[in-house]
Amino acid sequence: MSVPPESVVPPPSASPAGPSDLPSAEERQWALFAHLSALLGCIVTGAWFGWGCFLGPLIIWLLRKDTMPFVDDQAKEALNFNITIAIIGVALLVLTAITLGLGVLLAIPIGVVVGVAWLVFTILAAIRANEGVRYRYPFTLRLIK
């Protein structure tokens, strides 16, 4: 004996995700820009140790936080990550200064590892944001909530 299709009710958890669950193409593009703007900020301020890596995500977050929830989330994430990286950079500079230059033996290898990780995580975050996935950077201080 078969059950007629009209009487079969899917469970609430089996309902398909609607298009409203995904960010719009414009939101995904702005989130992508929020992550990649850190690269641009680092290049522009490279002569000053790339301290401007957090300026791009900050500007995009301030401009789009009220109108685009996905961009608000991803720009804050990029901003927090790049502030964390800037803090690590300042800490390495302070270490070098207080040890009268001997700390550079430790600061350079750590700086290279942090720099490569920053580049890889930034690119991964940009790819995920372009796909509409909320990316969370590892090892990030969540200063902006």
Side-chain angles (χ1 to χ4, degrees):
M1 172 174 217
S2 70
V3 178
E6 302 86 35
S7 65
V8 176
V9 177
S13 63
S15 63
S20 64
D21 294 340
L22 296 173
S24 68
E26 184 181 9
E27 282 184 298
R28 291 193 318 255
Q29 185 177 26
W30 276 104
L32 171 76
F33 292 157
H35 292 291
L36 292 181
S37 65
L39 295 174
L40 180 64
C42 187
I43 291 169
V44 169
T45 62
W48 299 284
F49 305 105
W51 64 270
C53 62
F54 60 87
L55 292 176
L58 175 64
I59 291 168
I60 291 175
W61 178 63
L62 289 173
L63 290 175
R64 300 293 176 186
K65 68 180 179 176
D66 296 327
T67 57
M68 299 178 173
F70 183 67
V71 177
D72 175 44
D73 177 65
Q74 290 302 289
K76 275 193 293 192
E77 189 66 20
L79 180 58
N80 282 326
F81 179 67
N82 285 289
I83 289 172
T84 303
I85 294 298
I87 290 170
I88 292 170
V90 168
L92 292 175
L93 284 174
V94 169
L95 171 70
T96 301
I98 65 172
T99 60
L100 302 175
L102 288 177
V104 78
L105 297 173
L106 188 61
I108 288 178
I110 291 173
V112 168
V113 169
V114 168
V116 169
W118 169 78
L119 181 63
V120 168
F121 289 139
T122 300
I123 292 171
L124 282 174
I127 291 169
R128 297 283 194 241
N130 195 38
E131 294 171 349
V133 177
R134 295 180 189 274
Y135 184 79
R136 294 288 171 252
Y137 288 98
F139 314 111
T140 300
L141 299 173
R142 307 274 188 251
L143 301 172
I144 310 296
K145 297 192 189 298

